[in-house]
Amino acid sequence: MSTSGPLYIGFDLSTQQLKGIVVNSDLKVVFLSIFDFDAHSKGFPIKKGVITNEVEHEVVAPVALWLQALDSVLADLKKQGLDFSLVRGISGAGQQHGSVYWGEDAEKLLKGLDAQKGLEEQLAGAFSHPYSPNWQDASTQKECDEFDEKLGGVEQLAEATGSKAHHRFTGPQILRFQRKYPDVYKKTSRISLVSSFLASLFLGHIAPFDISDVCGMNLWNIHNGAYDEELLKFCAGPHGVDDLRRKLGDVPEDGGIDLGKVHPYFTSRYGFSPECTIIPSTGDNPATILALPLRPSDAMVSLGTSTTFLMSTPSYKPDPATHFFNHPTTPGLYMFMLCYKNGGLAREHIRDAINKAQNDDHPSNPWVNFDKIALDTPPLGQKSPSDPMKLGLFFPRPEIVPNLPPGQWRYTYNPDTNTLTRLSDNDSQWTEPTDSARAIIESQLLSLRLRSRGLTTPPNPSLPAQPRRVYLVGGGSKNKTIAKIAGEILGGSEGVYKLEIGDNACALGAAYKAVWALERKQNETFEELIGKRWREEEFVERIADGYQEEAFEKYGRAVEGFEKMELEVLKEVEEKK
């Protein structure tokens, strides 16, 4: 493949890997390099990329590990034959909510990088604190409770910042950090997110936050387009709001702004052109929605160990159970996100129970029995229209949407009378594990439909509001049974599609962001430019029908019962506390 034209690099600095992917102007991937932290790093006592302190519920990553990884990925790309002089732009994706604490000498050390030495060696003294809190960290419950109440409650905090307080969010993390390490915090000159940390390395000075990633802090007032003064003052503590504002820095509104040219370290050591431009890096979730020209009302469902629902929408309708961010490239759009801890693991529990019940513990395809039962079971378990609907919640691990402990709850629901009936574990109306095969898929997808209501617009006046397309990614996207039921519940006026990008969505989205930033015409949106170059026949496969009137209406009635069921279970759990 010819690589004589301009090239663009997108990096994905995730929890367990650093990935660098190189694309050309036609969006074709020409090089890929992956540095696995556990397998390839040297000198760090990590497991799955992090260090865990179970006593304090802390999960952190050594920042120096990322420096080692960046040099290694660039060296590998050079070994593969990449001509760095052709690279016109660089952007990146960073694991969201992680924070990096720079010391007083950071700017001097970044500016003075020597191409004869590695980043890890030269920047060892650049940090006031050697570790970055990871998104899995759960040490900030006290701080989250305080954040949730600061503006009057979780609804008010979500209205202002797009989310209620969460353990991993950077605002509560900073508040805990300045309380636990007051002297270190005092000596901290700047605070970066993982995304802006990555951009800072290439620039040779501290980069600003990205307009989308800043929304993962509980500090950015999305309505006002600025830091929330009350939250900023609270988070700063005795050190003062001006000090924290200086540590955080400004946030440019343009997600494709030219931050500056690459530092001479990279031109001398790897052969980058001095004209190579650094574009703001964004969070991993915002980068994911840039991996295709996602249009308003398109939905992306990631079916991994957990479940993530992403949507680009012009509607800002925050709720404590969801997340809203500024769109990473397109003013006037927002990114809507739902995160569930229970996804593939919950489905696998029922799959394994079915295989065991059929004395088929190790079938050649472990999903064949589950899929057959799910497809043979009528929607909502109704063998006739007069039968009640079967609904359930299946949480082998604690869930955050809704906030429930591990458990299983089963109900029947009569939509005509709006009657919900709790079933006992051995109730004859529910046969285990077979009734649960379809019910768990329906449960997960009904939750998505419930919480995305009002964010989609009718694709045409004759159809009800629904996504234009539903894109499935992650391991579960291979399962056509899930895809079929997804179309019945979520709709999709143009169908349900599988996105054929493997695990490269974040890095690709970052690379596409660089292409758009440097090749866009005046006022040309990301969706317009990438949409013109997007080769759908290579990247997506239509795997199921979307909107089907009868099924969509039936599941619409079921959503009302599903919401009522969740509220009843929440009340029951709260009363037992």
Side-chain angles (χ1 to χ4, degrees), residues 26-65:
D26 294 328
L27 311 184
K28 287 185 177 291
V29 175
V30 292
F31 290 99
L32 170 66
S33 178
I34 300 173
F35 183 94
D36 183 275
F37 298 151
D38 283 18
H40 302 144
S41 68
K42 296 179 181 179
F44 300 100
I46 57 171
K47 183 176 181 180
K48 295 189 175 181
V50 295
I51 300 170
T52 302
N53 176 350
E54 298 285 359
V55 176
E56 296 195 43
H57 308 291
E58 291 180 336
V59 183
V60 300
V63 180
L65 167 67

mmCIF file of all heavy atoms in Angstrom, residues 26-65:
data_model
loop_
_atom_site.group_PDB
_atom_site.id
_atom_site.type_symbol
_atom_site.label_atom_id
_atom_site.label_comp_id
_atom_site.label_asym_id
_atom_site.label_seq_id
_atom_site.Cartn_x
_atom_site.Cartn_y
_atom_site.Cartn_z
ATOM 1 N N ASP A 26 -7.282 8.736 3.192
ATOM 2 C CA ASP A 26 -8.456 7.947 2.820
ATOM 3 C C ASP A 26 -8.954 7.078 3.967
ATOM 4 O O ASP A 26 -9.808 6.208 3.771
ATOM 5 C CB ASP A 26 -8.133 7.061 1.618
ATOM 6 C CG ASP A 26 -7.867 7.873 0.358
ATOM 7 O OD1 ASP A 26 -8.488 8.946 0.216
ATOM 8 O OD2 ASP A 26 -7.043 7.451 -0.461
ATOM 9 N N LEU A 27 -8.388 7.273 5.157
ATOM 10 C CA LEU A 27 -8.779 6.567 6.383
ATOM 11 C C LEU A 27 -8.315 5.119 6.420
ATOM 12 O O LEU A 27 -8.741 4.350 7.297
ATOM 13 C CB LEU A 27 -10.296 6.631 6.611
ATOM 14 C CG LEU A 27 -10.959 8.003 6.511
ATOM 15 C CD1 LEU A 27 -12.439 7.903 6.856
ATOM 16 C CD2 LEU A 27 -10.278 9.023 7.398
ATOM 17 N N LYS A 28 -7.469 4.717 5.502
ATOM 18 C CA LYS A 28 -6.952 3.348 5.504
ATOM 19 C C LYS A 28 -5.834 3.218 6.543
ATOM 20 O O LYS A 28 -4.954 4.078 6.640
ATOM 21 C CB LYS A 28 -6.418 2.963 4.124
ATOM 22 C CG LYS A 28 -7.498 2.728 3.076
ATOM 23 C CD LYS A 28 -6.893 2.225 1.782
ATOM 24 C CE LYS A 28 -7.985 1.917 0.758
ATOM 25 N NZ LYS A 28 -8.793 0.752 1.146
ATOM 26 N N VAL A 29 -5.858 2.121 7.285
ATOM 27 C CA VAL A 29 -4.815 1.858 8.275
ATOM 28 C C VAL A 29 -3.574 1.334 7.551
ATOM 29 O O VAL A 29 -3.647 0.371 6.791
ATOM 30 C CB VAL A 29 -5.295 0.827 9.313
ATOM 31 C CG1 VAL A 29 -4.160 0.460 10.275
ATOM 32 C CG2 VAL A 29 -6.492 1.368 10.085
ATOM 33 N N VAL A 30 -2.428 1.967 7.816
ATOM 34 C CA VAL A 30 -1.187 1.554 7.145
ATOM 35 C C VAL A 30 -0.155 1.002 8.121
ATOM 36 O O VAL A 30 0.745 0.254 7.723
ATOM 37 C CB VAL A 30 -0.584 2.696 6.312
ATOM 38 C CG1 VAL A 30 -1.476 3.001 5.118
ATOM 39 C CG2 VAL A 30 -0.384 3.960 7.142
ATOM 40 N N PHE A 31 -0.249 1.365 9.414
ATOM 41 C CA PHE A 31 0.645 0.809 10.432
ATOM 42 C C PHE A 31 -0.112 0.710 11.750
ATOM 43 O O PHE A 31 -1.021 1.498 12.032
ATOM 44 C CB PHE A 31 1.888 1.696 10.650
ATOM 45 C CG PHE A 31 2.860 1.710 9.509
ATOM 46 C CD1 PHE A 31 2.853 2.752 8.596
ATOM 47 C CD2 PHE A 31 3.793 0.687 9.356
ATOM 48 C CE1 PHE A 31 3.743 2.776 7.532
ATOM 49 C CE2 PHE A 31 4.689 0.709 8.303
ATOM 50 C CZ PHE A 31 4.671 1.744 7.384
ATOM 51 N N LEU A 32 0.282 -0.273 12.558
ATOM 52 C CA LEU A 32 -0.296 -0.458 13.890
ATOM 53 C C LEU A 32 0.771 -1.006 14.816
ATOM 54 O O LEU A 32 1.504 -1.938 14.461
ATOM 55 C CB LEU A 32 -1.479 -1.441 13.832
ATOM 56 C CG LEU A 32 -2.043 -1.931 15.176
ATOM 57 C CD1 LEU A 32 -2.679 -0.783 15.954
ATOM 58 C CD2 LEU A 32 -3.061 -3.053 14.958
ATOM 59 N N SER A 33 0.873 -0.431 16.016
ATOM 60 C CA SER A 33 1.797 -0.945 17.025
ATOM 61 C C SER A 33 1.101 -0.960 18.373
ATOM 62 O O SER A 33 0.364 -0.020 18.712
ATOM 63 C CB SER A 33 3.061 -0.071 17.105
ATOM 64 O OG SER A 33 3.927 -0.556 18.119
ATOM 65 N N ILE A 34 1.324 -2.016 19.139
ATOM 66 C CA ILE A 34 0.685 -2.175 20.448
ATOM 67 C C ILE A 34 1.745 -2.505 21.491
ATOM 68 O O ILE A 34 2.560 -3.419 21.303
ATOM 69 C CB ILE A 34 -0.377 -3.289 20.422
ATOM 70 C CG1 ILE A 34 -1.462 -2.969 19.394
ATOM 71 C CG2 ILE A 34 -0.998 -3.479 21.806
ATOM 72 C CD1 ILE A 34 -2.469 -4.094 19.190
ATOM 73 N N PHE A 35 1.725 -1.779 22.583
ATOM 74 C CA PHE A 35 2.592 -2.047 23.733
ATOM 75 C C PHE A 35 1.693 -2.485 24.876
ATOM 76 O O PHE A 35 0.904 -1.694 25.403
ATOM 77 C CB PHE A 35 3.384 -0.787 24.102
ATOM 78 C CG PHE A 35 4.377 -0.964 25.229
ATOM 79 C CD1 PHE A 35 5.706 -1.269 24.968
ATOM 80 C CD2 PHE A 35 3.981 -0.829 26.554
ATOM 81 C CE1 PHE A 35 6.627 -1.414 25.995
ATOM 82 C CE2 PHE A 35 4.883 -0.971 27.595
ATOM 83 C CZ PHE A 35 6.215 -1.270 27.318
ATOM 84 N N ASP A 36 1.788 -3.757 25.248
ATOM 85 C CA ASP A 36 1.000 -4.307 26.346
ATOM 86 C C ASP A 36 1.761 -4.081 27.648
ATOM 87 O O ASP A 36 2.893 -4.537 27.800
ATOM 88 C CB ASP A 36 0.751 -5.800 26.125
ATOM 89 C CG ASP A 36 -0.123 -6.395 27.204
ATOM 90 O OD1 ASP A 36 0.426 -6.779 28.265
ATOM 91 O OD2 ASP A 36 -1.339 -6.493 27.010
ATOM 92 N N PHE A 37 1.144 -3.375 28.587
ATOM 93 C CA PHE A 37 1.867 -2.976 29.787
ATOM 94 C C PHE A 37 2.373 -4.168 30.596
ATOM 95 O O PHE A 37 3.527 -4.197 31.020
ATOM 96 C CB PHE A 37 0.986 -2.081 30.660
ATOM 97 C CG PHE A 37 0.583 -0.790 29.994
ATOM 98 C CD1 PHE A 37 -0.612 -0.167 30.314
ATOM 99 C CD2 PHE A 37 1.389 -0.191 29.038
ATOM 100 C CE1 PHE A 37 -0.994 1.019 29.709
ATOM 101 C CE2 PHE A 37 1.021 0.992 28.423
ATOM 102 C CZ PHE A 37 -0.167 1.602 28.758
ATOM 103 N N ASP A 38 1.522 -5.167 30.823
ATOM 104 C CA ASP A 38 1.956 -6.313 31.614
ATOM 105 C C ASP A 38 3.028 -7.128 30.899
ATOM 106 O O ASP A 38 3.998 -7.587 31.511
ATOM 107 C CB ASP A 38 0.763 -7.226 31.925
ATOM 108 C CG ASP A 38 -0.115 -6.681 33.042
ATOM 109 O OD1 ASP A 38 -0.011 -5.477 33.335
ATOM 110 O OD2 ASP A 38 -0.910 -7.449 33.616
ATOM 111 N N ALA A 39 2.876 -7.321 29.599
ATOM 112 C CA ALA A 39 3.772 -8.204 28.851
ATOM 113 C C ALA A 39 5.088 -7.531 28.460
ATOM 114 O O ALA A 39 6.131 -8.188 28.411
ATOM 115 C CB ALA A 39 3.062 -8.718 27.596
ATOM 116 N N HIS A 40 5.052 -6.227 28.190
ATOM 117 C CA HIS A 40 6.205 -5.588 27.564
ATOM 118 C C HIS A 40 6.962 -4.599 28.441
ATOM 119 O O HIS A 40 8.107 -4.273 28.131
ATOM 120 C CB HIS A 40 5.754 -4.858 26.290
ATOM 121 C CG HIS A 40 5.104 -5.751 25.291
ATOM 122 N ND1 HIS A 40 4.041 -5.345 24.493
ATOM 123 C CD2 HIS A 40 5.344 -7.042 24.963
ATOM 124 C CE1 HIS A 40 3.666 -6.346 23.719
ATOM 125 N NE2 HIS A 40 4.433 -7.386 23.985
ATOM 126 N N SER A 41 6.352 -4.114 29.521
ATOM 127 C CA SER A 41 7.035 -3.097 30.327
ATOM 128 C C SER A 41 8.083 -3.738 31.229
ATOM 129 O O SER A 41 8.051 -4.933 31.509
ATOM 130 C CB SER A 41 6.030 -2.321 31.173
ATOM 131 O OG SER A 41 5.467 -3.144 32.187
ATOM 132 N N LYS A 42 8.993 -2.901 31.697
ATOM 133 C CA LYS A 42 10.073 -3.353 32.579
ATOM 134 C C LYS A 42 10.136 -2.439 33.796
ATOM 135 O O LYS A 42 10.183 -1.218 33.671
ATOM 136 C CB LYS A 42 11.407 -3.324 31.841
ATOM 137 C CG LYS A 42 11.479 -4.281 30.659
ATOM 138 C CD LYS A 42 12.817 -4.184 29.941
ATOM 139 C CE LYS A 42 12.870 -5.130 28.742
ATOM 140 N NZ LYS A 42 14.159 -5.025 28.005
ATOM 141 N N GLY A 43 10.113 -3.074 34.991
ATOM 142 C CA GLY A 43 10.360 -2.335 36.215
ATOM 143 C C GLY A 43 9.138 -1.849 36.964
ATOM 144 O O GLY A 43 9.283 -1.031 37.879
ATOM 145 N N PHE A 44 7.940 -2.345 36.617
ATOM 146 C CA PHE A 44 6.733 -1.855 37.279
ATOM 147 C C PHE A 44 5.937 -3.019 37.875
ATOM 148 O O PHE A 44 5.630 -3.986 37.170
ATOM 149 C CB PHE A 44 5.856 -1.077 36.300
ATOM 150 C CG PHE A 44 6.547 0.116 35.705
ATOM 151 C CD1 PHE A 44 7.098 0.046 34.433
ATOM 152 C CD2 PHE A 44 6.670 1.296 36.425
ATOM 153 C CE1 PHE A 44 7.743 1.144 33.877
ATOM 154 C CE2 PHE A 44 7.310 2.396 35.880
ATOM 155 C CZ PHE A 44 7.860 2.319 34.604
ATOM 156 N N PRO A 45 5.567 -2.939 39.161
ATOM 157 C CA PRO A 45 4.822 -4.025 39.821
ATOM 158 C C PRO A 45 3.333 -3.943 39.529
ATOM 159 O O PRO A 45 2.502 -3.760 40.420
ATOM 160 C CB PRO A 45 5.113 -3.776 41.307
ATOM 161 C CG PRO A 45 5.245 -2.289 41.401
ATOM 162 C CD PRO A 45 5.885 -1.843 40.108
ATOM 163 N N ILE A 46 2.974 -4.096 38.261
ATOM 164 C CA ILE A 46 1.592 -3.905 37.844
ATOM 165 C C ILE A 46 0.911 -5.236 37.546
ATOM 166 O O ILE A 46 1.567 -6.243 37.272
ATOM 167 C CB ILE A 46 1.509 -3.011 36.590
ATOM 168 C CG1 ILE A 46 2.343 -3.618 35.456
ATOM 169 C CG2 ILE A 46 1.963 -1.598 36.908
ATOM 170 C CD1 ILE A 46 2.164 -2.958 34.108
ATOM 171 N N LYS A 47 -0.397 -5.222 37.582
ATOM 172 C CA LYS A 47 -1.218 -6.337 37.130
ATOM 173 C C LYS A 47 -2.379 -5.745 36.357
ATOM 174 O O LYS A 47 -3.123 -4.912 36.871
ATOM 175 C CB LYS A 47 -1.733 -7.166 38.308
ATOM 176 C CG LYS A 47 -2.532 -8.392 37.875
ATOM 177 C CD LYS A 47 -2.948 -9.239 39.074
ATOM 178 C CE LYS A 47 -3.722 -10.483 38.621
ATOM 179 N NZ LYS A 47 -4.141 -11.319 39.771
ATOM 180 N N LYS A 48 -2.485 -6.139 35.095
ATOM 181 C CA LYS A 48 -3.475 -5.559 34.186
ATOM 182 C C LYS A 48 -3.336 -4.041 34.120
ATOM 183 O O LYS A 48 -4.309 -3.291 34.064
ATOM 184 C CB LYS A 48 -4.892 -5.973 34.584
ATOM 185 C CG LYS A 48 -5.125 -7.473 34.445
ATOM 186 C CD LYS A 48 -6.572 -7.851 34.615
ATOM 187 C CE LYS A 48 -6.771 -9.357 34.350
ATOM 188 N NZ LYS A 48 -8.170 -9.784 34.486
ATOM 189 N N GLY A 49 -2.072 -3.594 34.129
ATOM 190 C CA GLY A 49 -1.765 -2.196 33.907
ATOM 191 C C GLY A 49 -1.835 -1.293 35.117
ATOM 192 O O GLY A 49 -1.528 -0.106 35.017
ATOM 193 N N VAL A 50 -2.224 -1.829 36.275
ATOM 194 C CA VAL A 50 -2.441 -0.967 37.442
ATOM 195 C C VAL A 50 -1.861 -1.598 38.706
ATOM 196 O O VAL A 50 -1.496 -2.776 38.737
ATOM 197 C CB VAL A 50 -3.945 -0.688 37.663
ATOM 198 C CG1 VAL A 50 -4.520 0.109 36.505
ATOM 199 C CG2 VAL A 50 -4.725 -1.982 37.871
ATOM 200 N N ILE A 51 -1.796 -0.777 39.757
ATOM 201 C CA ILE A 51 -1.421 -1.215 41.099
ATOM 202 C C ILE A 51 -2.631 -0.986 41.989
ATOM 203 O O ILE A 51 -3.223 0.100 41.982
ATOM 204 C CB ILE A 51 -0.215 -0.409 41.621
ATOM 205 C CG1 ILE A 51 0.994 -0.611 40.698
ATOM 206 C CG2 ILE A 51 0.137 -0.819 43.044
ATOM 207 C CD1 ILE A 51 2.149 0.327 40.987
ATOM 208 N N THR A 52 -3.014 -2.000 42.746
ATOM 209 C CA THR A 52 -4.242 -1.936 43.541
ATOM 210 C C THR A 52 -3.929 -1.968 45.034
ATOM 211 O O THR A 52 -3.149 -2.800 45.497
ATOM 212 C CB THR A 52 -5.169 -3.108 43.191
ATOM 213 O OG1 THR A 52 -5.465 -3.065 41.795
ATOM 214 C CG2 THR A 52 -6.465 -3.037 43.978
ATOM 215 N N ASN A 53 -4.539 -1.050 45.769
ATOM 216 C CA ASN A 53 -4.483 -1.022 47.226
ATOM 217 C C ASN A 53 -5.883 -1.350 47.729
ATOM 218 O O ASN A 53 -6.761 -0.490 47.773
ATOM 219 C CB ASN A 53 -4.025 0.362 47.709
ATOM 220 C CG ASN A 53 -4.042 0.494 49.228
ATOM 221 O OD1 ASN A 53 -4.562 -0.361 49.946
ATOM 222 N ND2 ASN A 53 -3.476 1.582 49.734
ATOM 223 N N GLU A 54 -6.101 -2.610 48.076
ATOM 224 C CA GLU A 54 -7.435 -3.069 48.455
ATOM 225 C C GLU A 54 -7.939 -2.383 49.720
ATOM 226 O O GLU A 54 -9.140 -2.158 49.879
ATOM 227 C CB GLU A 54 -7.428 -4.590 48.666
ATOM 228 C CG GLU A 54 -7.065 -5.400 47.427
ATOM 229 C CD GLU A 54 -8.194 -5.466 46.421
ATOM 230 O OE1 GLU A 54 -9.271 -4.890 46.696
ATOM 231 O OE2 GLU A 54 -8.003 -6.073 45.350
ATOM 232 N N VAL A 55 -7.020 -2.046 50.625
ATOM 233 C CA VAL A 55 -7.422 -1.458 51.910
ATOM 234 C C VAL A 55 -8.109 -0.113 51.700
ATOM 235 O O VAL A 55 -9.150 0.172 52.291
ATOM 236 C CB VAL A 55 -6.197 -1.304 52.839
ATOM 237 C CG1 VAL A 55 -6.600 -0.593 54.132
ATOM 238 C CG2 VAL A 55 -5.599 -2.670 53.144
ATOM 239 N N GLU A 56 -7.514 0.722 50.849
ATOM 240 C CA GLU A 56 -8.069 2.053 50.623
ATOM 241 C C GLU A 56 -8.877 2.136 49.328
ATOM 242 O O GLU A 56 -9.283 3.229 48.919
ATOM 243 C CB GLU A 56 -6.946 3.091 50.609
ATOM 244 C CG GLU A 56 -6.232 3.215 51.938
ATOM 245 C CD GLU A 56 -5.391 4.480 52.037
ATOM 246 O OE1 GLU A 56 -5.868 5.551 51.624
ATOM 247 O OE2 GLU A 56 -4.263 4.385 52.515
ATOM 248 N N HIS A 57 -9.083 0.997 48.672
ATOM 249 C CA HIS A 57 -9.851 0.940 47.412
ATOM 250 C C HIS A 57 -9.216 1.808 46.328
ATOM 251 O O HIS A 57 -9.916 2.361 45.480
ATOM 252 C CB HIS A 57 -11.305 1.363 47.651
ATOM 253 C CG HIS A 57 -11.980 0.631 48.769
ATOM 254 N ND1 HIS A 57 -12.299 -0.706 48.689
ATOM 255 C CD2 HIS A 57 -12.370 1.050 50.010
ATOM 256 C CE1 HIS A 57 -12.874 -1.085 49.825
ATOM 257 N NE2 HIS A 57 -12.921 -0.049 50.633
ATOM 258 N N GLU A 58 -7.895 1.912 46.359
ATOM 259 C CA GLU A 58 -7.171 2.708 45.382
ATOM 260 C C GLU A 58 -6.709 1.844 44.216
ATOM 261 O O GLU A 58 -6.238 0.722 44.418
ATOM 262 C CB GLU A 58 -5.949 3.378 46.012
ATOM 263 C CG GLU A 58 -6.274 4.472 46.998
ATOM 264 C CD GLU A 58 -5.029 5.101 47.596
ATOM 265 O OE1 GLU A 58 -3.976 4.445 47.616
ATOM 266 O OE2 GLU A 58 -5.116 6.247 48.049
ATOM 267 N N VAL A 59 -6.827 2.372 43.021
ATOM 268 C CA VAL A 59 -6.292 1.731 41.818
ATOM 269 C C VAL A 59 -5.548 2.820 41.041
ATOM 270 O O VAL A 59 -6.159 3.811 40.628
ATOM 271 C CB VAL A 59 -7.394 1.106 40.948
ATOM 272 C CG1 VAL A 59 -6.781 0.385 39.751
ATOM 273 C CG2 VAL A 59 -8.244 0.140 41.763
ATOM 274 N N VAL A 60 -4.241 2.637 40.873
ATOM 275 C CA VAL A 60 -3.422 3.672 40.237
ATOM 276 C C VAL A 60 -2.517 3.052 39.180
ATOM 277 O O VAL A 60 -2.289 1.837 39.161
ATOM 278 C CB VAL A 60 -2.559 4.426 41.280
ATOM 279 C CG1 VAL A 60 -3.437 5.108 42.322
ATOM 280 C CG2 VAL A 60 -1.565 3.488 41.947
ATOM 281 N N ALA A 61 -1.975 3.909 38.322
ATOM 282 C CA ALA A 61 -1.011 3.483 37.305
ATOM 283 C C ALA A 61 0.245 4.341 37.433
ATOM 284 O O ALA A 61 0.147 5.554 37.663
ATOM 285 C CB ALA A 61 -1.597 3.640 35.903
ATOM 286 N N PRO A 62 1.429 3.739 37.292
ATOM 287 C CA PRO A 62 2.663 4.529 37.312
ATOM 288 C C PRO A 62 2.779 5.351 36.031
ATOM 289 O O PRO A 62 2.739 4.803 34.927
ATOM 290 C CB PRO A 62 3.772 3.471 37.383
ATOM 291 C CG PRO A 62 3.094 2.147 37.563
ATOM 292 C CD PRO A 62 1.687 2.307 37.097
ATOM 293 N N VAL A 63 2.925 6.659 36.156
ATOM 294 C CA VAL A 63 2.986 7.528 34.981
ATOM 295 C C VAL A 63 4.214 7.204 34.134
ATOM 296 O O VAL A 63 4.168 7.254 32.899
ATOM 297 C CB VAL A 63 2.971 9.008 35.405
ATOM 298 C CG1 VAL A 63 3.031 9.916 34.187
ATOM 299 C CG2 VAL A 63 1.722 9.317 36.228
ATOM 300 N N ALA A 64 5.323 6.840 34.796
ATOM 301 C CA ALA A 64 6.549 6.518 34.058
ATOM 302 C C ALA A 64 6.353 5.335 33.107
ATOM 303 O O ALA A 64 7.029 5.237 32.080
ATOM 304 C CB ALA A 64 7.681 6.225 35.031
ATOM 305 N N LEU A 65 5.417 4.447 33.442
ATOM 306 C CA LEU A 65 5.099 3.321 32.565
ATOM 307 C C LEU A 65 4.653 3.813 31.196
ATOM 308 O O LEU A 65 5.026 3.255 30.157
ATOM 309 C CB LEU A 65 3.987 2.488 33.219
ATOM 310 C CG LEU A 65 3.264 1.438 32.367
ATOM 311 C CD1 LEU A 65 4.207 0.306 31.991
ATOM 312 C CD2 LEU A 65 2.056 0.885 33.126
#
